[in-house]
Amino acid sequence: MKPVPEYHQITDDLFIWHGYNPECKTDCDSTAIRTQDGFVLIDPVRLEEQAIERMVADDRVCAVLLTNGNHLRGSLYEKERLDVPIYAPEGAREGVPADHLIRDGEVLFRELKAIGLPGAGPGETAYLASGVLVVGDALINLDGLEILPEKYCENPTLLLQSLRALGSLDFDIVCFAHGRPIVGRAGEKVAKIVGNLAGCAPSQ
């Protein structure tokens, strides 16, 4: 993929950008969150150097963070360019060269909590911080909010059970690895779609 030239700012501490991946023939979205330790790039598609400099300004990038083992994307490039470590879920250890493996429930950079969502891709993990939820493949928002299609799931039934746990979380914004963010009442919208699916659990 070619480097993306621009990003979009959602809040003072939240940024997104996206590009089309011809290899998997889909849109890929990335998120950056400013934490107390610096910016964290989540599932990063390559962003042009000047764009990262504008986004970070006087701060710094402290890490690359992956939601699952299928989202390496431009992580190795950013790791080398920015001299930062790659963090990835424990369940993704076979697929990515991570410097730090993340446990379910672990709090990263003093404010990002890892929320394991088994059943989607390898090591599927969402991250929650200050009213913002960032998800990988478990939920997508390309043509409307939906759960990851069964054919891409390791275990569709387990994924649905995992997603129900999101109903107890407090977030108003959700960002995706595939699809545009939902800004405002995001928790309600996620709870609604998961609740609707609960009555028709996917087959094994």
Side-chain angles (χ1 to χ4, degrees):
M1 291 179 61
K2 294 181 179 180
V4 175
E6 295 293 341
Y7 59 83
H8 303 281
Q9 184 170 0
I10 299 176
T11 70
D12 288 345
D13 300 321
L14 181 64
F15 304 77
I16 60 167
W17 61 100
H18 71 274
Y20 181 77
N21 188 338
E23 294 182 7
C24 59
K25 298 180 180 180
T26 189
D27 287 321
C28 295
D29 295 78
S30 305
T31 303
I33 294 182
R34 191 200 318 263
T35 72
Q36 297 178 61
D37 295 335
F39 276 81
V40 178
L41 309 183
I42 304 176
D43 292 345
V45 171
R46 282 180 59 184
L47 187 60
E48 286 188 358
E49 185 172 354
Q50 296 87 346
I52 285 189
E53 290 175 353
R54 291 196 306 273
M55 179 176 70
V56 173
D58 295 330
D59 209 329
R60 69 185 184 101
V61 175
C62 65
V64 167
L65 179 60
L66 305 184
T67 58
N68 63 55
N70 296 327
H71 284 179
L72 190 60
R73 298 179 173 178
S75 297
L76 293 176
Y77 179 83
E78 301 299 0
K79 169 185 168 67
E80 181 177 351
R81 176 171 67 162
L82 300 168
D83 191 24
V84 296
I86 295 176
Y87 285 61
E90 282 188 325
R93 69 170 68 233
E94 300 299 326
V96 297
D99 300 294
H100 178 90
L101 292 173
I102 302 161
R103 302 181 305 276
D104 182 21
E106 184 175 354
V107 177
L108 307 166
F109 318 109
R110 296 186 279 176
E111 57 189 282
L112 271 175
K113 184 176 182 180
I115 312 292
L117 297 173
E124 184 74 22
T125 300
Y127 301 99
L128 179 69
S130 303
V132 177
L133 182 72
V134 182
V135 297
D137 286 337
L139 292 169
I140 57 179
N141 194 34
L142 293 170
D143 296 306
L145 181 61
E146 61 180 331
I147 192 172
L148 183 69
E150 285 188 41
K151 64 181 179 179
Y152 300 118
C153 295
E154 293 184 338
N155 185 324
T157 301
L158 179 58
L159 175 58
L160 182 55
Q161 294 171 350
S162 302
L163 287 170
R164 290 173 185 158
L166 298 182
S168 63
L169 304 180
D170 182 18
F171 58 94
D172 196 49
I173 298 172
V174 57
C175 295
F176 303 90
H178 300 286
R180 302 300 180 263
I182 296 174
V183 180
R185 302 175 63 186
E188 294 178 29
K189 294 172 184 177
V190 168
K192 181 177 180 180
I193 190 169
V194 172
N196 289 343
L197 290 167
C200 50
S203 60
Q204 293 286 0

